[in-house]
Amino acid sequence: MKTINNYIDHTALKPTTSQKDIKTLCEEAKQHRFYSVCVNGHYVPLAKALLAKSNVKVCAVVGFPLGAMATEVKVFEAKKAIADGADEIDMVLNIGMLKSENFVNVYTDIRDVKLAIGNKVLKVILEISELSKNEIIKACQICLDAKADFIKTSTGFSKSGATLTAVKMIRKTVKKGAKIKASGGIKTLEVAEKYLEAGVDRLGCSAGVSIMEELQKKNS
């Protein structure tokens, strides 16, 4: 049976993140047996080496945090991350193209990254705070067509992060066609549990350690 730590992508994506921060992140991930660490591409080799004797996976972000670069650049970035040892890719959807209703571009952007990484897990970040209800639904439909494995709510770098309303909307749209990762603003055990109750498959957060400490106090 899964426990909350098995759902957590332990995250360090700030531009100021140092090698020391990555070492701490990986030690914490091993200690608490988190599902993965989520890092910027430059730190994939370091994270992979630090986690070599553990079951913790390495997730790398692509097109982060804006999603507005050329598809070819995202493809190269994704391939490089996989070659360096990443197990999963979290790519940012091209929000501007979605708002322009250039749905073919949005589709090919996701499809080409998925084709580039093969059977590795692809999560597509929608940035829900920037989208209308109809845009979220359309983005989910495109993600399904492009064979994305997960739909992720947010980068954590925009106006707000995950919301239960958006998670429920995404679940209703994709049904069992894709998994869901809630990310952004998940800082307490109570909030994390609410998202798990809503049916998310992964939690992206930098507060994983404090969430586990809360859980330990609750169970003691």
Side-chain angles (χ1 to χ4, degrees):
M1 182 179 176
K2 280 187 177 183
T3 53
I4 195 167
N5 57 303
N6 301 132
Y7 290 89
I8 292 176
D9 287 350
H10 194 35
T11 303
L13 296 171
K14 292 179 180 179
T16 54
T17 299
S18 66
Q19 288 182 313
K20 182 179 178 181
D21 294 330
I22 296 298
K23 290 175 182 177
T24 300
L25 184 84
C26 292
E27 286 303 313
E28 291 170 343
K30 287 190 288 186
Q31 178 186 346
H32 295 286
R33 291 175 293 177
F34 292 137
Y35 188 87
S36 80
V37 296
C38 188
V39 299
N40 284 297
H42 179 78
Y43 285 127
V44 169
L46 175 60
K48 194 67 176 180
L50 292 168
L51 296 168
K53 295 181 180 179
S54 77
N55 293 321
V56 180
K57 296 184 182 299
V58 176
C59 172
V61 292
V62 163
F64 197 84
L66 302 178
M69 54 289 298
T71 297
E72 293 83 356
V73 176
K74 290 181 181 177
V75 166
F76 178 86
E77 190 178 4
K79 284 183 174 180
K80 173 63 175 169
I82 297 298
D84 284 344
D87 302 288
E88 302 184 345
I89 297 295
D90 285 20
M91 71 168 282
V92 185
L93 174 138
N94 193 320
I95 301 164
M97 287 297 98
L98 183 72
K99 287 189 170 291
S100 301
E101 298 187 3
N102 189 338
F103 302 134
V104 172
N105 185 286
V106 177
Y107 167 77
T108 56
D109 194 51
I110 300 166
R111 180 204 63 190
D112 287 2
V113 172
K114 180 57 183 172
L115 288 173
I117 66 173
N119 62 359
K120 300 293 185 181
V121 170
L122 175 65
K123 309 188 200 89
V124 178
I125 308 171
L126 303 191
E127 202 69 281
I128 58 170
S129 64
E130 303 293 339
L131 304 178
S132 68
K133 175 181 177 180
N134 288 338
E135 287 170 340
I136 291 172
I137 291 170
K138 185 62 180 179
C140 288
Q141 292 168 341
I142 294 171
C143 287
L144 290 178
D145 290 341
K147 309 299 183 186
D149 301 285
F150 274 78
I151 292 170
K152 180 177 171 181
T153 60
S154 328
T155 61
F157 282 70
S158 191
K159 292 176 288 191
S160 62
T163 68
L164 286 169
T165 300
V167 163
K168 290 173 183 176
M169 188 190 314
I170 293 168
R171 175 56 69 207
K172 184 177 179 181
T173 303
V174 304
K175 298 181 174 61
K176 295 182 179 180
K179 295 180 179 180
I180 300 173
K181 177 177 174 179
S183 182
I186 303 172
K187 297 180 180 179
T188 67
L189 176 62
E190 181 183 8
V191 172
E193 288 177 336
K194 284 181 179 178
Y195 281 107
L196 293 178
E197 288 167 8
V200 305
D201 303 278
R202 203 78 65 79
L203 299 166
C205 54
S206 57
V209 173
S210 61
I211 288 171
M212 294 305 298
E213 288 172 348
E214 276 191 75
L215 182 62
Q216 288 164 4
K217 287 180 182 178
K218 180 180 177 181
N219 293 336
S220 63

